[in-house]
Amino acid sequence: MKFLSWRSSSSFDFLVLVFMMSSFHVWTATALVKLPPNITVAAVLVFGDSIVDAGNNNNLQTLIKCNFPPYGMDFEGGIPSGRFCDGKIPSDLIAEELGIKDTVPAYLDPTVMSEDLITGVTFASGGAGYDPMTSQLVSVISLADQLELFKEYIEKVKGVVGEEKTKFILGNSLYLVVAGSDDLANTYFSLHARNLLYDLPAYTDLMANSASTFIQDLHNLGARRIAVFSAAPIGCLPSQRTLAGGFQRDCVENYNEAATLFNSKLSKNIDSLNNKLSDSKIVYVDVYNPLINLIQNPNKHGFQVSNRGCCGTGDLEVAILCNELVPITCANVSDYVFWDSYHPTERAYRVLVSQLLEMYVDKFF
């Protein structure tokens, strides 16, 4: 797969960067999350699917992209960056809450500069999954290719700050791995690309084992703090309700059961990896239960609608189907849990990220 080349920094950028890195001071915002004394989170480095893709798909020959209105209507300047959201996505919010920086840019963004690299980028690609076929079906960047981009990233950072400081960054960053939902919702259930060859137990084994291999590969490249997010309750996503939820558009229980089965296997594999890789903190992050609670009890957090997205009818519009020719039917985005038929709104992400950081941040130290 051919990727965009990264733009090298100017000599001025380099001098600024060296000054910044001399004491590892980064973005000057105040962290909202209190870390233990003498603990540093140097950067946020991100892998996975559309939940944390900040624009890596923008210049790929794929239908899985969103660098056009109305995406980004609540992002900085109302510009569609390639984030599958009205505004910021979880990787941005986590970096913001940790006081690292305001947003985590796409690694393939041609405007990314050296100072962006040392505080974190996302390699994620909308449509990717643990099953290699998931990425192949929609021509996006597989997790294997994301690792290759990460290796390239490491060499670029070495060229800027040297080997020792690069090692420090790698060992003291927070890694986010967000995948699995597309494997189930798209490859297994919707496109039926795998369910003729695998029953669900076998397919979820494939997914969980692939996740373990990916985590070990990250560890081999220097990662020591890795947050691995569970699959979402895919049966309650608006698009899946429309496709398989019947006339009433109910949550699709067997889809949710599949996600739960995978999550249980992923969690067990992570326990095993923690025993094996004792120098690391690999944390299973349950997003299934917080999200399904938000969907089932939207009023608790001031939301009004959780079974449809804001864009268009809210039933099916996602990616190229959610475009500037489709009128935004919701009067107030903040009333909605979902932005399109697959991805939450920035406001919903803020609720979830706040809960997750409170639950899990101490587990990394």
Side-chain angles (χ1 to χ4, degrees), residues 28-46:
T28 56
T30 302
L32 300 178
V33 174
K34 187 175 181 180
L35 298 177
N38 303 316
I39 290 294
T40 297
V41 179
V44 175
L45 294 164
V46 189

Side-chain angles (χ1 to χ4, degrees), residues 187-198:
T187 308
Y188 194 79
F189 286 115
S190 295
L191 298 177
H192 306 291
R194 285 298 204 193
N195 61 18
L196 297 177
L197 297 175
Y198 297 89

